[in-house]
Amino acid sequence: MADRKSNFGHIKHPGAVHTKAAGKPAEPARPFRFRDALKALGPGLITGASDDDPSGIGTYSQAGAQLGYGIGWTMLLTFPLMAAIQEISARVGRVTGHGISGNVCRHYSSGLLNLVVTLLFIANTINIGADLGAMADASKLLIGGHSIVYVLLFGVTSVAAQIFLDYKRYVMVLKWLTLSLFAYVAALAFAKVSWGDALAGILVPRLTWSIDYFTTIVAILGTTISPYLFFWQASQEAEDQRVDAAKRPLIEKHYGARREFSRIRADTIIGMAFSNLIALSIIVTAAATLHATGKTDIQTSAEAAEALRPIAGAFAEVIFALGIVGTGLLAIPVLAGATAYAVGEGRQWPVGLARKPKEAAAFYAVLALSAGIGIALNFTPINPISALYWSAVINGVLAVPVMVLLMFMARRRDVMGRFVVTGPLYWLGWLSTAAMMLSVLAMGAGFFAGH
């Protein structure tokens, strides 16, 4: 019994006690190092940080500029909802050794799989195009030059890094890029924030019964709870297990399950808390500067950066613009990677950023195609704001069936074995799904009311 329980990591092997009693000196406590702490975090941190992409920054800036501090409460609402659905995604990946698409193709119809993957490809590709455009505009604001040059530079660099960099090194690069999000915490220092009003806006929901208000809430929900985040985190958990020779899918090898679930929960909660803290910083900065001075017509993240100059100074504008570039370099690989994982797993191809290009040629081809079309969109007369709007619509509509599928999979014993999701996490996952469904219905009602 003791041996069996030790598989779950909560009874030590007797040898460990004997060794200590025999007088072996205990290992000295290691001093805290930020790099070590960062290394302990994984898919959850990168997923959470990539949620604050340039298009998301535009949404949060617009929310703060239009509605002021009063919209801050939405960040407290979305935090537990996104943390729950992301943890469930991660558990599915770690338990089964497959991402969401890989599980759908094994347990559901090919028609459903094709519909989900097609919509994800379209939404992610448009999002890549919009993010590249925002990064180019921010770079032009900082150092001048031509936007198209920056689009090509950032797009090609992101794809090349995914294809040619060693997997572990590449993941570390993404983790270090999450630090770029602190630019928005720094930007707060240049804003004259009314902290009493800001705190009231965060802690006390104040609803305004107007189309604009509810449209903004829908946009925030659609930005924080996005399908590409589910696909990425599940696939990264499966990928991390594949590259570690000591690990197997938990459904095959139960050893260390509790420890793995604890790691996933800590990683996800930290990642989502970080994401929401940055989003809240952007909302408060925009409310304290743009809304306070009557600038409520911000459309993009680059416009928000430019509008900060006369209010908060040139340095605030630079910090904001640098953050757009840094978050874009983090988000584009996640968007393109999530697309490639979804298509590749659905087709049961060899997938994974840890594989060499020759070993997963089709996987990398999809990744490059998605990014390539995103780059090409910036050469067309398509309005990036309009494209981003439709991307958000597709993401919102797609999120609901994907979340429902995810919740069903998390409860199926033929998928999860003994590790089916139960208890508060399960019900919080359904609450998140219901909130997303309501937001899509509200978006639809607002669309038809406006037409």
Coordinates of all heavy atoms in Angstrom, one line a residue, residues 354-399:
A354 N 9.5 20.6 -31.0 CA 10.7 19.9 -30.6 C 11.2 19.0 -31.8 O 12.4 18.6 -31.7 CB 10.5 19.0 -29.4
R355 N 10.4 18.8 -32.8 CA 10.8 18.0 -33.9 C 11.6 18.8 -34.9 O 11.4 20.0 -35.1 CB 9.6 17.3 -34.6 CG 8.8 16.4 -33.8 CD 7.7 15.7 -34.6 NE 6.7 15.1 -33.7 CZ 6.8 13.8 -33.4 NH1 7.9 13.1 -33.7 NH2 5.9 13.2 -32.6
K356 N 12.5 18.2 -35.6 CA 13.3 18.8 -36.7 C 12.3 19.1 -37.9 O 11.4 18.3 -38.1 CB 14.5 18.0 -37.2 CG 15.5 17.6 -36.1 CD 16.2 18.8 -35.6 CE 17.2 18.5 -34.5 NZ 17.8 19.7 -33.9
P357 N 12.6 20.1 -38.7 CA 11.7 20.4 -39.8 C 11.5 19.2 -40.7 O 10.3 19.0 -41.2 CB 12.5 21.5 -40.6 CG 13.3 22.2 -39.5 CD 13.7 21.1 -38.5
K358 N 12.5 18.4 -41.0 CA 12.3 17.2 -41.8 C 11.4 16.2 -41.2 O 10.7 15.4 -41.9 CB 13.7 16.5 -42.1 CG 14.5 17.3 -43.1 CD 15.8 16.6 -43.4 CE 16.6 17.4 -44.4 NZ 17.9 16.7 -44.7
E359 N 11.4 16.1 -39.9 CA 10.5 15.1 -39.2 C 9.1 15.5 -39.1 O 8.2 14.7 -38.9 CB 11.0 14.9 -37.7 CG 12.4 14.4 -37.6 CD 13.0 14.5 -36.2 OE1 12.3 15.0 -35.3 OE2 14.1 14.0 -36.0
A360 N 8.8 16.8 -39.3 CA 7.4 17.3 -39.2 C 7.1 18.4 -40.2 O 6.7 19.5 -39.9 CB 7.1 17.8 -37.8
A361 N 7.4 18.0 -41.5 CA 7.4 19.0 -42.6 C 6.0 19.6 -42.7 O 5.8 20.8 -42.9 CB 7.8 18.3 -43.9
A362 N 4.9 18.7 -42.7 CA 3.6 19.2 -42.9 C 3.2 20.2 -41.7 O 2.5 21.2 -42.0 CB 2.6 18.1 -43.0
F363 N 3.5 19.8 -40.5 CA 3.2 20.7 -39.3 C 3.8 22.0 -39.5 O 3.2 23.1 -39.3 CB 3.8 20.0 -38.1 CG 3.8 20.8 -36.9 CD1 2.7 21.0 -36.1 CD2 5.0 21.4 -36.4 CE1 2.7 21.8 -35.0 CE2 5.1 22.2 -35.3 CZ 3.9 22.4 -34.6
Y364 N 5.1 22.1 -39.9 CA 5.8 23.4 -40.1 C 5.3 24.1 -41.3 O 5.2 25.4 -41.3 CB 7.3 23.2 -40.2 CG 8.0 22.9 -38.8 CD1 8.5 21.7 -38.5 CD2 8.0 23.9 -37.8 CE1 9.1 21.4 -37.3 CE2 8.6 23.6 -36.6 CZ 9.1 22.4 -36.3 OH 9.7 22.2 -35.1
A365 N 4.8 23.4 -42.3 CA 4.2 24.0 -43.5 C 2.9 24.8 -43.1 O 2.7 25.9 -43.6 CB 3.9 23.0 -44.6
V366 N 2.1 24.2 -42.3 CA 0.9 24.8 -41.8 C 1.2 26.1 -41.0 O 0.6 27.1 -41.2 CB 0.0 23.9 -41.0 CG1 -1.2 24.6 -40.4 CG2 -0.5 22.7 -41.9
L367 N 2.2 26.0 -40.1 CA 2.6 27.1 -39.3 C 3.1 28.2 -40.2 O 2.6 29.4 -40.0 CB 3.8 26.6 -38.4 CG 4.3 27.5 -37.3 CD1 4.8 26.7 -36.2 CD2 5.3 28.5 -37.8
A368 N 3.9 27.9 -41.2 CA 4.4 29.0 -42.1 C 3.3 29.5 -43.0 O 3.3 30.8 -43.2 CB 5.5 28.4 -43.0
L369 N 2.3 28.7 -43.4 CA 1.2 29.1 -44.2 C 0.4 30.1 -43.5 O 0.0 31.2 -44.0 CB 0.4 27.9 -44.7 CG -0.8 28.3 -45.5 CD1 -0.4 28.9 -46.9 CD2 -1.7 27.0 -45.8
S370 N 0.0 29.8 -42.2 CA -0.8 30.7 -41.4 C -0.2 32.0 -41.2 O -0.8 33.1 -41.4 CB -1.1 30.0 -40.1 OG -1.9 30.9 -39.3
A371 N 1.1 32.0 -40.9 CA 1.9 33.3 -40.7 C 2.0 34.0 -42.0 O 1.9 35.2 -42.1 CB 3.2 33.0 -40.1
G372 N 2.3 33.3 -43.1 CA 2.4 33.9 -44.4 C 1.2 34.6 -44.9 O 1.3 35.7 -45.4
I373 N 0.0 34.0 -44.7 CA -1.2 34.7 -45.1 C -1.4 35.9 -44.2 O -1.9 36.9 -44.6 CB -2.4 33.7 -45.0 CG1 -2.3 32.5 -46.0 CG2 -3.7 34.4 -45.2 CD1 -3.3 31.4 -45.8
G374 N -1.1 35.8 -42.9 CA -1.2 36.9 -42.0 C -0.4 38.1 -42.4 O -0.8 39.2 -42.4
I375 N 0.9 37.8 -42.9 CA 1.7 38.8 -43.5 C 1.1 39.4 -44.7 O 1.0 40.6 -44.9 CB 3.1 38.2 -43.8 CG1 3.9 37.8 -42.5 CG2 4.0 39.2 -44.6 CD1 5.1 37.0 -42.8
A376 N 0.6 38.5 -45.6 CA 0.0 39.0 -46.9 C -1.2 39.9 -46.7 O -1.4 40.8 -47.5 CB -0.4 37.8 -47.7
L377 N -2.0 39.7 -45.6 CA -3.1 40.5 -45.3 C -2.8 42.0 -45.2 O -3.6 42.9 -45.5 CB -3.9 40.0 -44.1 CG -4.6 38.7 -44.1 CD1 -5.2 38.3 -42.8 CD2 -5.8 38.9 -45.1
N378 N -1.6 42.3 -44.8 CA -1.1 43.6 -44.6 C -0.8 44.3 -45.9 O -0.5 45.5 -46.0 CB 0.1 43.7 -43.7 CG -0.3 43.5 -42.2 OD1 -0.7 44.4 -41.5 ND2 -0.2 42.2 -41.8
F379 N -0.7 43.5 -47.0 CA -0.5 44.1 -48.3 C -1.8 44.3 -49.1 O -1.8 44.7 -50.2 CB 0.4 43.1 -49.2 CG 1.8 43.1 -48.7 CD1 2.2 42.3 -47.6 CD2 2.8 43.8 -49.3 CE1 3.5 42.2 -47.2 CE2 4.1 43.8 -48.9 CZ 4.5 43.0 -47.8
T380 N -2.9 44.0 -48.5 CA -4.2 44.1 -49.1 C -4.9 45.4 -48.6 O -4.6 45.9 -47.6 CB -5.1 42.9 -48.8 OG1 -5.4 42.9 -47.4 CG2 -4.4 41.6 -49.2
P381 N -6.0 45.8 -49.3 CA -6.7 47.0 -48.8 C -7.7 46.7 -47.7 O -8.5 47.5 -47.3 CB -7.5 47.4 -50.1 CG -7.6 46.2 -50.9 CD -6.4 45.4 -50.7
I382 N -7.6 45.4 -47.2 CA -8.5 45.1 -46.1 C -8.3 45.9 -44.9 O -7.1 46.1 -44.4 CB -8.4 43.6 -45.7 CG1 -8.8 42.7 -46.9 CG2 -9.2 43.2 -44.5 CD1 -8.5 41.2 -46.7
N383 N -9.3 46.5 -44.3 CA -9.2 47.3 -43.1 C -8.8 46.4 -41.9 O -9.6 45.5 -41.6 CB -10.5 48.0 -42.8 CG -10.5 49.0 -41.6 OD1 -9.7 48.7 -40.7 ND2 -11.2 50.1 -41.7
P384 N -7.7 46.7 -41.3 CA -7.2 45.8 -40.2 C -8.2 45.8 -39.0 O -8.4 44.8 -38.3 CB -5.9 46.4 -39.8 CG -5.8 47.7 -40.3 CD -6.7 47.8 -41.5
I385 N -8.9 47.0 -38.7 CA -9.8 47.1 -37.6 C -11.0 46.2 -37.9 O -11.5 45.4 -37.1 CB -10.3 48.5 -37.4 CG1 -9.1 49.4 -37.1 CG2 -11.2 48.6 -36.2 CD1 -8.2 49.0 -36.0
S386 N -11.5 46.3 -39.2 CA -12.6 45.4 -39.6 C -12.3 44.0 -39.5 O -13.1 43.1 -39.1 CB -13.0 45.8 -41.0 OG -14.1 45.0 -41.5
A387 N -11.0 43.6 -40.0 CA -10.6 42.2 -40.0 C -10.5 41.7 -38.5 O -10.9 40.6 -38.3 CB -9.2 42.1 -40.6
L388 N -10.0 42.6 -37.6 CA -9.9 42.2 -36.2 C -11.3 42.0 -35.6 O -11.5 41.1 -34.8 CB -9.2 43.3 -35.5 CG -8.6 42.8 -34.1 CD1 -7.6 41.7 -34.3 CD2 -7.8 44.0 -33.5
Y389 N -12.2 42.8 -36.0 CA -13.6 42.6 -35.5 C -14.2 41.3 -35.9 O -14.7 40.5 -35.1 CB -14.5 43.8 -36.1 CG -16.0 43.5 -35.8 CD1 -16.5 43.8 -34.5 CD2 -16.8 43.0 -36.7 CE1 -17.8 43.6 -34.2 CE2 -18.2 42.8 -36.5 CZ -18.7 43.1 -35.2 OH -20.0 42.9 -34.9
W390 N -14.0 40.9 -37.2 CA -14.5 39.6 -37.7 C -13.7 38.5 -37.1 O -14.3 37.4 -36.8 CB -14.5 39.6 -39.2 CG -15.6 40.4 -39.7 CD1 -15.5 41.6 -40.4 CD2 -17.0 40.2 -39.6 NE1 -16.8 42.2 -40.7 CE2 -17.7 41.3 -40.2 CE3 -17.8 39.2 -39.0 CZ2 -19.1 41.4 -40.3 CZ3 -19.2 39.3 -39.1 CH2 -19.8 40.3 -39.7
S391 N -12.5 38.7 -36.8 CA -11.7 37.6 -36.1 C -12.2 37.4 -34.7 O -12.4 36.3 -34.3 CB -10.2 38.1 -36.0 OG -9.5 37.3 -35.1
A392 N -12.6 38.5 -34.0 CA -13.2 38.4 -32.7 C -14.5 37.7 -32.7 O -14.8 36.9 -31.9 CB -13.3 39.8 -32.1
V393 N -15.3 38.0 -33.8 CA -16.6 37.3 -33.9 C -16.4 35.8 -34.1 O -17.1 35.0 -33.5 CB -17.4 37.9 -35.2 CG1 -18.6 37.1 -35.5 CG2 -17.8 39.3 -34.8
I394 N -15.5 35.4 -35.0 CA -15.2 34.0 -35.3 C -14.7 33.3 -34.0 O -15.1 32.2 -33.7 CB -14.2 33.8 -36.5 CG1 -14.8 34.3 -37.8 CG2 -13.8 32.4 -36.6 CD1 -13.8 34.5 -38.9
N395 N -13.8 34.0 -33.3 CA -13.2 33.4 -32.1 C -14.3 33.2 -31.1 O -14.4 32.2 -30.4 CB -12.2 34.4 -31.5 CG -10.8 34.0 -31.9 OD1 -10.5 32.8 -31.9 ND2 -9.9 34.9 -32.1
G396 N -15.2 34.2 -30.9 CA -16.3 34.1 -30.0 C -17.2 33.0 -30.3 O -17.6 32.2 -29.4
V397 N -17.6 32.9 -31.6 CA -18.5 31.8 -32.0 C -17.9 30.4 -31.9 O -18.5 29.5 -31.4 CB -19.0 32.0 -33.5 CG1 -19.7 30.8 -34.0 CG2 -19.8 33.3 -33.6
L398 N -16.6 30.3 -32.2 CA -15.8 29.1 -32.1 C -15.6 28.6 -30.7 O -15.6 27.4 -30.4 CB -14.5 29.2 -32.9 CG -13.5 28.0 -32.8 CD1 -14.2 26.8 -33.5 CD2 -12.2 28.4 -33.5
A399 N -15.4 29.6 -29.8 CA -15.1 29.3 -28.4 C -16.1 28.4 -27.8 O -15.8 27.5 -27.0 CB -14.9 30.6 -27.6

